[in-house]
Amino acid sequence: MARIPDGFIDDLLARTDIVEVIGARVPLKRQGKEYSARCPFHDERSPSFWVSPTKQFYHCFGCGAHGTAISFLMNYDRLEFLDAVDELAKRVGVEVPRDTRARNENSDTQDLIHALEAAQRFFLRQYSTSGKAQGYLDNRGVSIDIRDRFGIGYAPDGFNGLRDALGTDERRLKLLDRAGLLSKNDSGRVYDKFRDRVMFPIHDRRGRVIAFGGRVLDKDDGPKYLNSPETPLFHKGRELYGLWQVRQTHNKIPRLIVVEGYMDVIALFQHGVDTAVATLGTATTPDHAELLFRNAADVYFCFDGDRAGRGAAWKAVESVLPRMKDGRQAFFLFLPEGEDPDTLVRQEGADGFDRRLQEAMPLSQFLFDSLAADVNLHTLEGKGRLAERAKPLLTQIPDGAFADLMQQRLTELTGVGARAASPQTHVPAQRASAAQRPAATPKRSLVRSAIALLLQKPALAAALEPPYGFARLNQPGVDLLVEIVDVVQQRPEISTGALLEHFAEHAQIGALQKLASQSLPGNEEHLQREFLDAIEQLQKQTVVQRLDELQAQQRDGGLGDAEKRELLALLQMRAGLQRAQ
Ligand SMILES: [Zn+2]
């Protein structure tokens, strides 16, 4: 995706009144400096959703939803990033830097879209006169309404139907080719890619046809399903078949069900299960996972119960783990042998399918069951192996209650992690599980305080000058603190919301969001004093740390001249610090 310059985003967010943007969609009530509402992202009776005009971001204490005006539009209006930026830019009357809009405005893209539209019309016309294709859908019990909704068409038998109808000149032929509708044989002859197939158009988020899937009518005629190749418009790892129809059907999608085939989606819709989407002949990619969770908090993956199905499910686990923010849930439904969602929903109806979903395996169970499948948990060796396998996976889960609970479960299963209660471990504070924390409110570390203050008032970082002495301190979170200070120094106008946006992909984003949503007491002056205090303490700790290092090295007899001078300077500095206290 084209990158939009950070400065543009900061500026856009600074000019945007987040209260106005959200207030136009959700009734807000003023409460002191902030605004509250009943959360639009989860069901609740009393308001726990807050919008802060000074921080330029929103936060829900109930479900953890949070973000800037951009993320609000992405989540509430279900816009993609670029479209949300466009929308805000339109509101405040600024122009989005041109290169970032390439994909939207490129005339090439428009031509491709038009070629695909023409092809879609062609397939629909062919369908209306094909008894064979109509008979196939009749047999499968697909109603006229569903055929219309999904725009199901037919590609005629023979090699030149589409080519002759639409490829009337060289330019058009080229377009059809680039749209993935033609094939070429070794002797250079160009012919229709889809022949004698029922055609399923694949729509993008705006309902435009960007590709096709075709299903054979005669069993022995090529692969059962054939998809368009990757084109400038179609990347199968990023698209989900049926998502557009699901969005058309629901204002708020209660859950998404991920299946493997077009006919699964259609049969489910036909029987009243109207929240199913299909991956297009690929495993679940990280892009898919992102798209799924952006549209629904609960995602159910349906797979065959066989080995291949379990393998595919594991791929899905790997893609969703880094996206398991609090409030999101993933489930796995393994189908009985020889069945697929299509056959099941025909036999059992929507209610039967729903019962199966209710019994689906939660992600946590599938993960630990899979990891422990060939491990003897009655032995220490087995427990060790499970812990070793689980760790790299669990660290991918964003900070939050779910991450804590998964860590806790691992501890229950293996005992590993329980001893981490000692304060000197190198587990970052944000990662320490709920079980490891003392029952009382955890005392916030200095680093964490400094980060919290900075998030509250990014401009505080202006008072610091690089190089930062505390950057060498060996404590969890120091790197992040330095990173934040750097960003604010480069972008002094940055708001809390924009700062969070900058760190959206950071492993600690969950913790950052939590810190940012707290309301710290005190006025600006007070916050500034507290921040500079924390930084000073950190500098002192760095001096002590370096002293310890040098003295240890000295005991081992290995100090060079420069290091001796440094040691002396540090000792003097420490004496000075002590006098000052
Ligand atoms: Zn909420």
Side-chain angles (χ1 to χ4, degrees), residues 39-42 44 48-49 60-65:
C39 178
F41 302 114
H42 83 280
E44 63 175 3
S48 43
F49 180 84
C60 172
F61 289 94
C63 68

Side-chain angles (χ1 to χ4, degrees), residues 43 88 113 152-153 169 175 190 250 274 283 302 314 327 344 394 422 477 511 520 542:
D43 286 324
L88 291 180
I113 293 275
I152 302 175
D169 61 35
L175 268 176
V190 172
H250 297 270
D274 54 9
C302 290
W314 189 254
L344 273 181
L394 298 195
S422 112
L520 297 184
T542 315

